Amino acid sequence: MPTSDATPADLRTLRVASVQFEAAAANKEANFAKIEAFAGKAANQDVRLVVFPECCITGYWFIRNLSLEQLGQLAESIPDGPSTQRLIRLARQYGISIGAGLVEVSESGEFYNSYVVALPDGTVHCHRKLQAFEHTAIRSGTEYTVFDLPDGFRVGVLICYDCNLIENVRITALRGAEILLAPHQTGAVRSKNPNLMGIIDRQLWDNRHADSETIEKEFRSDKGRGWLMRWLPSRAHDNGIFLIFSNGVGVDDDEIRTGNAMILDPYGRVITETWKADDAMVIADLDAGLMADATGRSWIRARRPELYTPLTVPTGMERDTREMKFEE
């Protein structure tokens, strides 16, 4: 019989979940209670990977106003700190992979906005935000984070602002990532630029149970989903990867996060999403077969690296992420 040169179909699948929840500032116990509850619900629905938001263990936006002493009291070591150890126990308990964010203090005393992914066998992977700005003492990470899940998929992690830079996503894809974990704290961000998001009235959130339609309309607007849809789909499509967007929702110090948890396929299409004004979880089955002919993967194969040296040469326009963020 003649042999076939056809590439075998990629039959891998993975059930994943993206969670949005309102984190309490500096209340790790309350935040972990939510993480544990959602992890249990995910496991009961045969989810293999559950993604929680950036800094959801510690709380987020209030960090910028902490003293150095207060920041030190909030931060934990990784992997030996209590929160990472608790994530490890939770991953082992349910036999699933779990990702969540917190403020890290390194052995040398440096602070990072970090994201921990605990695997069922007790293995831990940590990503330090590359474009950090949350506090003058929080440093930016210097390494990309890409690793294999026990379920046969390769994943990368980029935290919030990391995803804004197309170079970060492309490098993560070039390192073999098939799924991008994108934990955020965004939406309804205060800005001097009338073309960027803008705040949501706190009263709309407080009145969400009596009038969910008004606040959810804001969440779907350019303050939330509308803004995300300008660039999230392109990050997935242009690199031929799945993208799991997890976000805070509700009160985050003096801003309102818009949630909009969603999962996108390698064509940049939304598989599932929510704009619920509350803690919520969305679940999707990722079909690896979609990646084979994804446009972005074809474009990666068409790259001409010899032309791209200018990408590594400073232009003089580069600026510190924190400096830029607080000028917006």
Side-chain angles (χ1 to χ4, degrees):
M1 293 179 62
T3 59
S4 172
D5 294 328
T7 302
D10 192 337
L11 301 179
R12 292 174 299 151
T13 61
L14 184 69
R15 176 162 287 191
V16 302
S18 176
V19 175
Q20 62 180 44
F21 78 80
E22 185 179 28
N27 192 336
K28 297 177 185 177
E29 193 59 40
N31 296 333
F32 247 108
K34 292 188 177 186
I35 290 171
E36 290 169 344
F38 274 116
K41 291 178 182 178
N44 287 338
Q45 297 180 68
D46 298 321
V47 167
R48 301 296 304 150
L49 167 67
V50 57
V51 180
F52 290 97
E54 171 187 18
C55 278
C56 63
I57 295 173
T58 53
Y60 176 69
W61 198 221
F62 80 106
I63 291 170
R64 72 193 191 284
N65 295 320
L66 296 182
S67 67
L68 194 59
E69 180 182 3
Q70 290 171 324
L71 187 65
Q73 293 171 349
L74 182 72
E76 297 182 20
S77 63
I78 297 172
D80 297 327
S83 291
T84 301
Q85 289 299 308
R86 195 166 177 175
L87 279 179
I88 291 171
R89 291 194 296 271
L90 195 61
R92 280 177 166 158
Q93 176 185 349
Y94 290 115
I96 62 177
S97 300
I98 304 173
L102 70 159
V103 178
E104 175 195 5
V105 59
S106 70
E107 291 184 358
S108 57
E110 297 169 339
F111 298 104
Y112 296 94
N113 177 342
S114 296
Y115 196 79
V116 171
V117 181
L119 305 186
D121 66 356
T123 301
V124 171
H125 296 276
C126 173
H127 177 72
R128 292 171 171 171
K129 190 173 183 177
L130 303 173
Q131 315 285 156
F133 57 81
E134 296 77 16
H135 191 283
T136 54
I138 290 181
R139 297 197 175 190
S140 291
T142 58
E143 297 181 5
Y144 291 94
T145 306
V146 181
F147 55 93
D148 295 319
L149 294 177
D151 307 274
F153 282 77
R154 192 159 174 80
V155 303
V157 181
L158 291 172
I159 301 173
C160 202
Y161 206 112
D162 292 352
C163 297
N164 294 357
L165 279 76
I166 57 177
E167 293 90 343
N168 288 337
V169 184
R170 175 50 59 89
I171 290 172
T172 300
L174 288 175
R175 294 193 174 188
E178 299 169 305
I179 304 169
L180 177 63
L181 313 188
H184 280 62
Q185 291 287 350
T186 193
V189 171
R190 182 176 284 100
S191 175
K192 300 171 186 175
N193 185 337
N195 300 299
L196 291 179
M197 289 181 279
I199 63 172
I200 289 175
D201 190 330
R202 168 68 184 265
Q203 291 184 343
L204 297 183
W205 172 258
D206 292 342
N207 194 44
R208 66 191 182 282
H209 298 304
D211 181 11
S212 61
E213 183 177 349
T214 299
I215 185 69
E216 289 175 3
K217 182 178 180 181
E218 289 278 78
F219 281 13
R220 296 194 303 271
S221 75
D222 282 351
K223 295 177 182 178
R225 186 183 191 275
W227 176 74
L228 295 169
M229 295 306 288
R230 296 178 193 173
W231 60 277
L232 273 184
S234 68
R235 299 296 185 270
H237 170 268
D238 292 353
N239 295 286
I241 56 176
F242 294 96
L243 192 152
I244 305 175
F245 173 81
S246 175
N247 193 24
V249 68
V251 178
D252 188 11
D253 198 52
D254 63 346
E255 296 179 343
I256 302 295
R257 301 288 163 244
T258 59
N260 300 115
M262 68 177 78
I263 301 170
L264 295 88
D265 77 5
Y267 289 90
R269 298 174 298 200
V270 176
I271 305 173
T272 184
E273 65 177 321
T274 181
W275 46 75
K276 186 177 182 180
D278 204 346
D279 297 353
M281 177 172 67
V282 294
I283 295 174
D285 293 311
L286 308 188
D287 175 5
L290 287 174
M291 290 186 288
D293 298 320
T295 315
R297 293 196 166 242
S298 296
W299 291 349
I300 286 177
R301 289 192 291 270
R303 291 174 67 248
R304 296 181 59 194
E306 70 275 9
L307 298 179
Y308 308 145
T309 300
L311 288 175
T312 67
V313 179
T315 64
M317 295 186 291
E318 292 78 15
R319 295 179 60 192
D320 178 72
T321 304
R322 178 179 172 82
E323 183 180 283
M324 292 182 60
K325 177 64 180 175
F326 283 90
E327 286 184 3
E328 284 184 353

